[in-house]
Amino acid sequence: MIVILHATCYNQNSCFEYQVENTKKGKVIMMEVRELLDLYSKEEHSGFLEEEISQAEKYIGVALPQIYRDFLKNYGKDKINSSCHRLLVPEEISTSYQAIEEELEYDWKEDFEEAVEEGTQEDYKDNEYFALWQLPKEEWHTITENYVLLWVENQGIWYAAYLLRDLKEGKENPPIYVSTNDDFITFEKCKDTLEEFLLAMYTEW
């Protein structure tokens, strides 16, 4: 996977052999993720241990794509991954269902229980968290699918994620989705592949 950058964006002193393409906008540089990170990082690259990644996989109940495992091992601790928007470190990786469970327990439970006791459930008729709270977890899929969270916007308003079902099916380069309503319920496709998203992390946001 490669990304096209305008020539003014790259380091003239880098040792890489760049592919140059002529376009209507002038010459552009075509780069891979590792090359892009070499430009951004002034220090040696740093990543997470296999044990840390494996522990995250145990917690979410599914293996991460090999492309992403390699990325975490080689570049996961690079400072750029937390300089603005933030890559979730292995111990933070969770599913959207796990995140919803926490929000229901700590943010909504008392309000919902009070509404039931007082007969004011109508106040939450359009609240999807209330709808989920009333259902067994096995039926949550009728309202939202389960996603694996991997990246968060700098104010915590939206997250990027894999569709858990794609990982269970063993897709190595799955699409990436982003939450769109400041919650863990509504997601829309952001990039068609994981590789495209990794590039976009450093070129679009």
Side-chain angles (χ1 to χ4, degrees), residues 155-170:
Q155 298 181 69
I157 294 175
W158 56 270
Y159 285 74
Y162 310 98
L163 187 59
L164 180 65
R165 173 164 42 85
D166 286 343
L167 301 195
K168 287 185 175 181
E169 292 174 358

Side-chain angles (χ1 to χ4, degrees), residues 59-60 93-100 146-149 164:
Y59 181 63
I60 62 176
I93 294 174
S94 68
T95 68
S96 58
Y97 279 15
Q98 289 165 334
I100 288 170
N146 200 359
Y147 296 83
V148 175
L149 310 174
L164 180 65

Side-chain angles (χ1 to χ4, degrees), residues 10 52 69 73 86 100 112 126 161 163 170 182:
Y10 78 99
E52 295 175 285
R69 295 180 106 264
K73 286 182 181 180
R86 190 168 61 82
I100 288 170
F112 292 161
D126 296 322
L163 187 59
D182 195 12

Side-chain angles (χ1 to χ4, degrees), residues 90-126:
E91 65 183 25
E92 296 176 310
I93 294 174
S94 68
T95 68
S96 58
Y97 279 15
Q98 289 165 334
I100 288 170
E101 285 180 311
E102 287 192 12
E103 292 216 348
L104 289 175
E105 179 66 26
Y106 298 108
D107 297 335
W108 292 105
K109 183 179 178 181
E110 291 185 7
D111 291 341
F112 292 161
E113 288 178 343
E114 183 177 326
V116 171
E117 290 175 7
E118 297 178 355
T120 57
Q121 298 98 313
E122 189 70 12
D123 292 345
Y124 295 101
K125 65 179 181 179
D126 296 322

Side-chain angles (χ1 to χ4, degrees), residues 12 17-18 22 29 32 50 55 87 105 153 178:
Q12 300 277 356
E17 293 293 330
Y18 295 103
N22 290 312
I29 307 303
E32 295 181 354
E50 170 66 30
Q55 189 61 39
L87 188 77
E105 179 66 26
E153 180 262 348
V178 292

